[in-house]
Amino acid sequence: MFLCATLLILYSFMDSQSEALNVFGPEVPLVAVAGEDLVLPCFLKPSTSAVDMTVEWIKLDVEHSLVHLYNDHEDRNAKQAQPYRGRTSLFKEELQKGNASLKLSALRVSDEGRYKCLVEDESWYDDIIVNIIVEAQGSHPVITMESYDNSGGINLVCESRGWKPEPEVLWLDREGAALPAEATQIHRDTEGFSVKRRITVYDYSNSNKFYCRFRQIRHMMEAEVIINSKVFDAWKFAVGISVPACLTALGLIVTAAIFYKKVLPRQSVEREFAAMERVVEPQRRRIKHVLAEMKKFAVDVTLDPDTAHPKLILSADEKQVTCGDTEQDLPDTPQRFTSYYSVVGKQSFSSGRFYYEVQVRGKTDWTLGVVRENINRKRITLTPQTGFWTVDLWNENQYEALADPEVPLTLREKVEKVGVFVDYEEGLVSFYDVKSSSHIYSFTAQSFTEKLYPFFNPWYNVGGKNSAPLIISPVFNTE
Ligand SMILES: *[C@@H]1O[C@H](CO)[C@@H](O)[C@H](O)[C@H]1NC(C)=O
């Protein structure tokens, strides 16, 4: 009788415990980004140690495959499905608190789906289902110049792989207006959507710039291609040259330039230089004097590491910058450039005049100038309208002022040191070649309302030739 009562009490105790104990998980699907690590939550309530229990994670749907098994105080993953090998773990410390959450590393698009978390001991079990959705931003779009079109246009195709969900693809002109293009081709595979869209473009102006934009709800990527008018004329000479492009404007401009070089008669360039030579000498003396005046407004500029793109390497004195091969692990703060290898100075200016010099010797590519404080540092458009007053060098010898539209600059010699002068009230940003005392370009009659910061982009090490740093140099008056 006594034994019976004891069993009864014991039984009702166990019963009440098993009624109360449940497994919980998230009620809504988890949305995560491919490449990241994700914790799939699963825990016991009320908090009860699961150390002595079995925890089993299973992927449902396609085939019921074992994702992770913990049993008899150990992980038992001999039968784990191949795609999950080495990518799963439980939080062993947390198990004592009844937390059986699973960590899944380096998320893949193919990980999307429903996962069952099952927890059991000899007398009890419960499970929940965790639904995960994986989004992925595709590869950098690549623009290929496929062929000349019989109608006098050029056939371009823009492609990118690994998107999820599928992106919208647009071809845009330089003003950002959508251009009529062929239907988007979409192909689904295990790691997302491969997407391509073709367009035939025509010679609209001197410098034809086209963008191809991939857009998702949360992500966007763009590639651009610049096609000089001469390329349209050259259809007779070259057919079917493939021009790979990359997200950075540079890669594209460079490739367009290779094309450009093919058709530009060399002699005409040399004649142009010779003609310039005759007018330049008296001018140079005058400019030398102007430069000496500007140097009186020399300021000490240092680079602001908190704004530097994670690939940039700054010297300890914060006067030099180059672009490294790998991204450093730095916080993605609002002031940090993340889409363009840029950094700004620590010093800002909101009145008066200032001048500084930057050594560009040995570089094949750079962008320098000033920017206003409130620019978009995550997506860059280099125009005065968007807050950038800059000039750049690309492809070793192509100089241009990034006005809207760009102004190609013909300089007599390779610039080794750039002088930047700003007169805030006048709305003037001028660039000088310090060594030859010649004027490079001026933005005039601009209206500044925000603080201005010196802006630097050393570009990546294009073809291994652009490793020289940009160096903010002390200003000497040589007059
Ligand atoms: C379970 O552990 C993971 C990893 O430490 C943690 O992120 C999660 O918040 C924990 N869940 C609960 C309910 O404590």
Side-chain angles (χ1 to χ4, degrees):
M1 187 64 198
F2 173 74
L3 184 68
C4 208
T6 312
L7 274 176
L8 202 67
I9 291 161
L10 196 62
Y11 178 76
S12 62
F13 172 72
M14 277 174 64
D15 193 44
S16 70
Q17 190 193 36
S18 61
E19 253 176 75
L21 193 60
N22 277 304
V23 177
F24 289 86
E27 269 151 33
V28 291
L30 304 177
V31 180
V33 177
E36 292 179 354
D37 297 348
L38 180 68
V39 175
L40 284 69
C42 175
F43 49 92
L44 299 178
K45 255 195 195 166
S47 174
T48 307
S49 172
V51 170
D52 301 326
M53 298 187 184
T54 296
V55 176
E56 191 173 13
W57 280 91
I58 298 160
K59 170 104 188 264
L60 303 177
D61 307 321
V62 196
E63 68 230 81
H64 290 220
S65 49
L66 181 66
V67 174
H68 196 97
L69 178 65
Y70 169 88
N71 185 10
D72 223 354
H73 305 106
E74 270 178 53
D75 291 325
R76 314 259 168 198
N77 282 326
K79 294 203 180 118
Q80 186 181 39
Q82 226 294 318
Y84 297 99
R85 293 273 155 88
R87 295 172 56 222
T88 61
S89 57
L90 298 178
F91 300 92
K92 293 287 152 60
E93 314 279 78
E94 293 282 325
L95 273 181
Q96 300 166 27
K97 299 185 237 160
N99 183 349
S101 300
L102 179 80
K103 179 172 170 190
L104 184 53
S105 313
L107 214 56
R108 302 170 183 173
V109 168
S110 50
D111 291 335
E112 181 166 299
R114 298 186 306 143
Y115 291 77
K116 179 187 273 190
C117 169
L118 189 150
V119 185
E120 66 184 327
D121 62 14
E122 294 94 60
S123 59
W124 169 89
Y125 93 91
D126 192 16
D127 60 31
I128 50 115
I129 286 172
V130 181
N131 206 339
I132 74 173
I133 294 170
V134 182
E135 289 189 351
Q137 188 176 18
S139 57
H140 286 181
V142 170
I143 298 175
T144 305
M145 210 183 265
E146 286 195 312
S147 58
Y148 285 100
D149 194 79
N150 289 337
S151 61
I154 291 174
N155 298 319
L156 304 178
V157 61
C158 185
E159 328 180 38
S160 174
R161 276 170 292 105
W163 289 85
K164 175 123 195 326
E166 54 196 89
E168 177 191 31
V169 188
L170 290 172
W171 276 99
L172 308 168
D173 67 10
R174 63 177 315 137
E175 265 84 43
L179 293 167
E182 288 181 23
T184 306
Q185 289 168 264
I186 297 174
H187 176 74
R188 165 108 221 212
D189 57 42
T190 51
E191 296 304 326
F193 296 95
S194 298
V195 183
K196 62 168 95 166
R197 191 165 190 195
R198 291 195 160 77
I199 189 171
T200 305
V201 294
Y202 297 92
D203 191 11
Y204 299 108
S205 67
N206 261 346
S207 145
N208 292 288
K209 194 187 231 180
F210 304 98
Y211 296 89
C212 126
R213 176 181 296 169
F214 282 70
R215 192 169 63 191
Q216 268 177 351
I217 309 151
R218 272 177 280 268
H219 304 291
M220 180 164 97
M221 272 187 168
E222 268 180 4
E224 66 177 52
V225 62
I226 295 176
I227 306 176
N228 193 286
S229 284
K230 296 202 167 65
V231 177
F232 285 93
D233 303 336
W235 69 272
K236 302 190 257 322
F237 303 117
V239 178
I241 293 171
S242 173
V243 182
C246 74
L247 184 75
T248 53
L250 183 81
L252 289 145
I253 297 169
V254 170
T255 50
I258 292 163
F259 224 126
Y260 174 80
K261 263 188 170 165
K262 266 192 166 48
V263 291
L264 184 70
R266 219 191 134 62
Q267 269 191 335
S268 76
V269 176
E270 274 154 14
R271 265 205 303 275
E272 233 172 88
F273 277 132
M276 269 179 56
E277 192 80 37
R278 284 193 292 278
V279 292
V280 133
E281 202 30 58
Q283 243 185 37
R284 183 183 293 189
R285 276 195 298 268
R286 193 178 61 80
I287 288 170
K288 206 162 178 182
H289 179 69
V290 172
L291 253 176
E293 285 301 305
M294 290 179 172
K295 285 181 178 180
K296 293 179 183 160
F297 298 96
V299 289
D300 185 28
V301 174
T302 46
L303 302 165
D304 182 357
D306 293 340
T307 66
H309 185 284
K311 269 200 177 171
L312 295 188
I313 301 164
L314 273 53
S315 63
D317 64 357
E318 297 173 340
K319 292 280 187 186
Q320 307 193 13
V321 59
T322 49
C323 189
D325 294 330
T326 49
E327 291 211 358
Q328 302 154 71
D329 189 17
L330 297 170
D332 183 6
T333 54
Q335 72 264 33
R336 189 179 301 285
F337 290 94
T338 49
S339 72
Y340 203 69
Y341 305 131
S342 312
V343 56
V344 295
K346 279 182 180 160
Q347 295 74 14
S348 65
F349 304 92
S350 47
S351 67
R353 300 170 198 177
F354 62 97
Y355 176 85
Y356 58 93
E357 292 180 354
V358 185
Q359 184 184 309
V360 296
R361 190 188 303 145
K363 293 192 70 66
T364 59
D365 300 81
W366 48 259
T367 306
L368 290 174
V370 294
V371 298
R372 63 170 188 241
E373 183 168 39
N374 182 26
I375 46 169
N376 183 346
R377 293 169 192 225
K378 307 298 166 185
R379 234 195 107 229
I380 304 278
T381 315
L382 292 166
T383 62
Q385 215 196 337
T386 49
F388 293 80
W389 292 270
T390 55
V391 295
D392 70 9
L393 166 67
W394 50 276
N395 196 23
E396 291 183 45
N397 55 11
Q398 313 283 310
Y399 294 91
E400 64 179 1
L402 295 159
D404 197 7
E406 292 91 17
V407 180
L409 303 170
T410 316
L411 304 185
R412 291 161 7 97
E413 49 195 270
K414 203 162 162 61
V415 181
E416 295 197 345
K417 198 182 271 184
V418 180
V420 183
F421 175 75
V422 177
D423 186 325
Y424 195 93
E425 283 79 18
E426 284 288 314
L428 174 72
V429 182
S430 289
F431 298 87
Y432 289 87
D433 176 350
V434 176
K435 187 168 155 236
S436 71
S437 294
S438 52
H439 177 239
I440 297 176
Y441 185 79
S442 289
F443 292 90
T444 55
Q446 306 292 309
S447 109
F448 302 134
T449 50
E450 291 172 35
K451 287 183 196 166
L452 295 179
Y453 287 84
F455 173 85
F456 309 84
N457 182 337
W459 284 106
Y460 62 92
N461 195 2
V462 188
K465 289 197 282 187
N466 193 36
S467 58
L470 286 176
I471 306 175
I472 303 169
S473 319
V475 174
F476 300 109
N477 207 336
T478 49
E479 199 185 44

